[in-house]
């Protein structure tokens, strides 16, 4: 995996022109969903060489093998050969799935990412993880491969619904919690809607890139990026097919970070006042719902199946203090269970 270059640009057209200068692709495709076609495509279309549009339906529930088949079909119909380029214009679903399709079509064609959600900008499009969901398991099928380039433009965020912005912000919060205490203190001073996005994205992508560069294949340090995700992913999977209760990725990760902050204090020496600070901030911002006591057992069982675990042992990343994380901390299912029960207790009474 050769890491592609990440550019955070104030001039999207210029960055695209620079990228295409001297390149000679035989075919270019732009992968969009109905939202990024409506809101994002106009910002880039004039700066692109002749291309076709490949459109899929938006949504995590479309991140499937069936949708891949439709993408491969469209590429085949348009006679894309190995010297073609796929441009992923969208959020994490488009980035993960479009990258997966490109990396496997005819054993791999080049692709670039133009991430249009905050989550994709600060997280999903960095670090080379590609894939799709399978039989209810998140990102169950996939591979590591980096795009040729990632071009990030914060103007895309102007049309993003608030809930989506807040979902992506969970990863920004995580990056500060695991790596930058001063950043965290600064972050929580400013309301979400007033955050200076260009700077926030530059900081967050830098944190992720530094960690990935040290450990691209997640053998060690990269695991700290999973803070909030052992429990968060289980929560996300559990509610994936529950109508009306479905959570966005970052909303589930916010729940996971609250539960794992608790575990950080119980098991990893994080001061209690820091745990409360994290919990209060996340509860205020995400207003998460309590988890039905009957569901806690199933969610803690799901956490055990997380693909990052080896065997029956859950290995988790926890905070030692704000700004410093450790990885490979063994956890028992019971401890996850207890942390989720404690999570319910920590919610304000009117949420419970
Ligand atoms: N590869 C990784 O390392 C990694 C890391 C984190 C998350 N992910 C994956 O990312 C996915 C979530 O990504 P996401 O939160 O971006 O979701 P998403 O791709 O589903 O996008 C969210 C919604 O916003 C719409 N949208 C996108 N850009 C828009 C814009 N500028 N204006 C208006 N609407 C817009 C989309 O159509 C969609 O409805 C998950 O599948 C998750 O597994 C991957
Ligand atoms: Zn995440």
């Amino acid at each position: 995996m050769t890491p592609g270059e990440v550019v955070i640009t104030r001039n999207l057209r210029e960055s695209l022109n620079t990228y295409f200068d001297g390149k000679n692709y035989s075919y270019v495709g732009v992968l969009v969903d109905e939202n990024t076609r409506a809101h994002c495509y106009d910002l880039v279309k004039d700066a692109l060489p002749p291309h076709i549009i490949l459109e899929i339906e938006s949504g995590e529930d479309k991140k499937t093998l069936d949708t891949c088949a439709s993408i491969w079909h469209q590429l085949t119909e348009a006679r894309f050969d190995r010297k073609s380029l796929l441009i992923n214009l969208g959020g994490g679903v488009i980035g993960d799935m479009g990258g997966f399709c490109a990396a496997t079509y005819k054993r791999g064609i080049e692709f670039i990412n133009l991430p249009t959600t905050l989550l994709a900008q600060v997280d999903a499009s960095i670090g080379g993880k590609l894939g799709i969901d399978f039989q209810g398991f998140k990102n169950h099928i996939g591979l590591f491969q980096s795009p040729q380039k990632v071009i990030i433009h914060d103007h895309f965020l102007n049309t993003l619904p608030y809930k989506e912005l807040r979902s992506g912000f969970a990863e920004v919060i995580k990056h500060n919690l695991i790596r930058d205490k001063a950043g965290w203190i600064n972050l929580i001073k400013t309301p979400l809607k007033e955050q200076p996005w260009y700077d926030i994205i530059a900081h967050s992508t830098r944190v992720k890139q530094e960690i990935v560069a040290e450990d691209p294949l997640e053998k060690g340090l990269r695991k700290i990026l999973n803070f909030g995700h052992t429990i968060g992913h289980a929560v996300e999977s559990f509610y994936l097919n529950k109508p009306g209760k479905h959570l966005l990725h970052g909303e589930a990760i916010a729940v996971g970070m609250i539960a794992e902050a608790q575990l950080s204090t119980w098991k990893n020496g994080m001061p209690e006042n820091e745990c409360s600070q994290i919990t209060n901030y996340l509860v205020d911002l995400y207003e998460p719902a309590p988890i039905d006591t009957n569901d806690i057992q199933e969610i803690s069982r799901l956490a055990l199946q997380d693909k990052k675990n080896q065997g029956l042992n859950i290995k988790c990343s926890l905070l030692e203090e704000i700004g410093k994380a450790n990885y490979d901390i063994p956890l028992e299912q019971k401890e996850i269970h207890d942390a989720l029960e404690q999570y319910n207790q920590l919610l304000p009474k009117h949420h419970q």
Side-chain angles (χ1 to χ4, degrees), residues 119 123 171 174 229 233 249 253:
L119 187 129
D123 192 2
E171 307 290 357
K174 178 193 77 180
H229 282 61
H233 266 157
H249 179 73
I253 296 315

mmCIF file of all heavy atoms in Angstrom, residues 119 123 171 174 229 233 249 253, ligand 2:
data_model
loop_
_atom_site.group_PDB
_atom_site.id
_atom_site.type_symbol
_atom_site.label_atom_id
_atom_site.label_comp_id
_atom_site.label_asym_id
_atom_site.label_seq_id
_atom_site.Cartn_x
_atom_site.Cartn_y
_atom_site.Cartn_z
ATOM 1 N N LEU A 119 -17.091 13.140 7.888
ATOM 2 C CA LEU A 119 -16.552 11.841 8.275
ATOM 3 C C LEU A 119 -15.575 11.298 7.230
ATOM 4 O O LEU A 119 -14.510 10.780 7.553
ATOM 5 C CB LEU A 119 -17.682 10.843 8.515
ATOM 6 C CG LEU A 119 -17.168 9.525 9.089
ATOM 7 C CD1 LEU A 119 -17.947 9.129 10.317
ATOM 8 C CD2 LEU A 119 -17.181 8.447 8.064
ATOM 9 N N ASP A 123 -11.612 11.036 8.114
ATOM 10 C CA ASP A 123 -11.392 9.656 8.537
ATOM 11 C C ASP A 123 -11.403 8.655 7.377
ATOM 12 O O ASP A 123 -10.372 8.086 7.024
ATOM 13 C CB ASP A 123 -12.453 9.281 9.585
ATOM 14 C CG ASP A 123 -12.142 7.983 10.293
ATOM 15 O OD1 ASP A 123 -11.095 7.385 10.005
ATOM 16 O OD2 ASP A 123 -12.944 7.559 11.143
ATOM 17 N N GLU A 171 -15.427 11.630 14.919
ATOM 18 C CA GLU A 171 -14.054 11.199 14.611
ATOM 19 C C GLU A 171 -13.055 12.313 14.934
ATOM 20 O O GLU A 171 -11.931 12.049 15.357
ATOM 21 C CB GLU A 171 -13.932 10.772 13.143
ATOM 22 C CG GLU A 171 -14.945 9.723 12.680
ATOM 23 C CD GLU A 171 -14.726 8.320 13.262
ATOM 24 O OE1 GLU A 171 -13.745 8.113 13.991
ATOM 25 O OE2 GLU A 171 -15.573 7.442 12.969
ATOM 26 N N LYS A 174 -12.568 12.086 18.563
ATOM 27 C CA LYS A 174 -11.705 10.922 18.846
ATOM 28 C C LYS A 174 -10.234 11.251 18.591
ATOM 29 O O LYS A 174 -9.373 10.944 19.420
ATOM 30 C CB LYS A 174 -12.147 9.745 17.973
ATOM 31 C CG LYS A 174 -11.300 8.498 18.137
ATOM 32 C CD LYS A 174 -11.570 7.483 17.038
ATOM 33 C CE LYS A 174 -10.899 7.877 15.726
ATOM 34 N NZ LYS A 174 -11.138 6.911 14.638
ATOM 35 N N HIS A 229 -14.637 2.438 19.225
ATOM 36 C CA HIS A 229 -15.174 1.643 18.118
ATOM 37 C C HIS A 229 -15.472 0.181 18.479
ATOM 38 O O HIS A 229 -16.271 -0.446 17.801
ATOM 39 C CB HIS A 229 -14.218 1.681 16.922
ATOM 40 C CG HIS A 229 -14.314 2.968 16.148
ATOM 41 N ND1 HIS A 229 -14.036 4.188 16.707
ATOM 42 C CD2 HIS A 229 -14.689 3.223 14.867
ATOM 43 C CE1 HIS A 229 -14.211 5.136 15.793
ATOM 44 N NE2 HIS A 229 -14.615 4.584 14.668
ATOM 45 N N HIS A 233 -18.977 0.061 17.262
ATOM 46 C CA HIS A 233 -19.323 -0.778 16.102
ATOM 47 C C HIS A 233 -20.400 -1.789 16.454
ATOM 48 O O HIS A 233 -21.290 -2.072 15.648
ATOM 49 C CB HIS A 233 -18.094 -1.550 15.597
ATOM 50 C CG HIS A 233 -17.375 -0.830 14.498
ATOM 51 N ND1 HIS A 233 -16.059 -1.055 14.210
ATOM 52 C CD2 HIS A 233 -17.798 0.102 13.608
ATOM 53 C CE1 HIS A 233 -15.687 -0.288 13.204
ATOM 54 N NE2 HIS A 233 -16.727 0.431 12.819
ATOM 55 N N HIS A 249 -22.958 6.364 11.865
ATOM 56 C CA HIS A 249 -21.686 5.840 12.374
ATOM 57 C C HIS A 249 -21.182 6.642 13.589
ATOM 58 O O HIS A 249 -20.912 6.081 14.644
ATOM 59 C CB HIS A 249 -20.639 5.848 11.253
ATOM 60 C CG HIS A 249 -19.296 5.359 11.684
ATOM 61 N ND1 HIS A 249 -19.033 4.030 11.944
ATOM 62 C CD2 HIS A 249 -18.135 6.028 11.923
ATOM 63 C CE1 HIS A 249 -17.762 3.903 12.307
ATOM 64 N NE2 HIS A 249 -17.196 5.102 12.298
ATOM 65 N N ILE A 253 -20.508 5.786 17.502
ATOM 66 C CA ILE A 253 -19.162 5.924 18.068
ATOM 67 C C ILE A 253 -19.187 6.832 19.302
ATOM 68 O O ILE A 253 -18.423 6.629 20.253
ATOM 69 C CB ILE A 253 -18.180 6.470 16.997
ATOM 70 C CG1 ILE A 253 -18.042 5.468 15.840
ATOM 71 C CG2 ILE A 253 -16.805 6.796 17.586
ATOM 72 C CD1 ILE A 253 -17.865 4.022 16.234
HETATM 73 ZN ZN1 LIG B 2 -15.200 5.550 12.870
#
